[in-house]
Amino acid sequence: LNIHIDMDSPRVSRTEGEALFLAYGGTTPYLEHVNSMLLAIHQGLQDLPGFIAVLREHDLLESFVADIELEDGSQNRLFGFHTINEDKLLQLPGDVLESLNRAGHLQSIYMVMASLSNFRGLIERKQRAVNANA
């Protein structure tokens, strides 16, 4: 994985922020961390088509719409997203669950389900931004 840096970007500085390179060569722990995160994202994107195919095979994908009303009365709708159909997951036989687990998909399925708990925090952040701009 190669990381490219736009040296003309206003976000790049030689005097402020996190150092990317050590004074006498090599990369800093910060850049190593960024590189590992980008590698994980890249690997995830490579694995995504197979993961989606497995979800479809077992009819585990479910579309959802979130309608959110903020304190100012504005209506917000999130659509075009999918999640895991928990009822269908609970109905899967043990051998299918074992297969999903061995392929590394079961953990991903539970992470998708757990990620929905982040919606409350995202809504609260949006509400604070609206309040700050009011």
Side-chain angles (χ1 to χ4, degrees):
L1 182 67
N2 292 316
I3 298 175
H4 298 270
I5 300 169
D6 179 1
M7 296 303 291
D8 294 328
S9 170
R11 297 178 69 185
V12 174
S13 171
R14 293 184 185 276
T15 58
E16 298 176 28
E18 292 285 339
L20 302 179
F21 302 101
L22 300 172
Y24 299 103
T27 57
T28 63
Y30 174 76
L31 185 55
E32 291 296 324
H33 175 70
V34 168
N35 188 54
S36 68
M37 288 191 323
L38 290 172
L39 187 59
I41 291 169
H42 176 74
Q43 184 62 49
L45 290 172
Q46 299 298 309
D47 296 342
L48 186 60
F51 179 60
I52 298 298
V54 167
L55 294 178
R56 286 187 173 147
E57 175 186 346
H58 298 290
D59 199 26
L60 293 175
L61 274 180
E62 175 179 62
S63 65
F64 75 94
V65 173
D67 289 313
I68 303 156
E69 181 176 350
L70 298 178
E71 292 172 3
D72 66 353
S74 65
Q75 300 291 323
N76 300 271
R77 175 171 270 201
L78 296 173
F79 59 92
F81 295 95
H82 291 81
T83 191
I84 303 298
N85 184 317
E86 293 183 49
D87 292 334
K88 291 186 178 179
L89 178 66
L90 291 172
Q91 295 171 10
L92 290 177
D95 62 323
V96 172
L97 292 172
E98 180 182 2
S99 173
L100 291 172
N101 186 49
R102 286 183 190 268
H105 297 313
L106 198 54
Q107 180 180 14
S108 298
I109 287 169
Y110 283 112
M111 294 302 288
V112 168
M113 291 170 25
S115 73
L116 291 178
S117 67
N118 291 321
F119 268 98
R120 175 60 38 208
L122 292 171
I123 293 167
E124 289 169 0
R125 285 172 58 188
K126 175 66 174 174
Q127 184 62 60
R128 284 194 301 272
V130 167
N131 290 343
N133 292 328

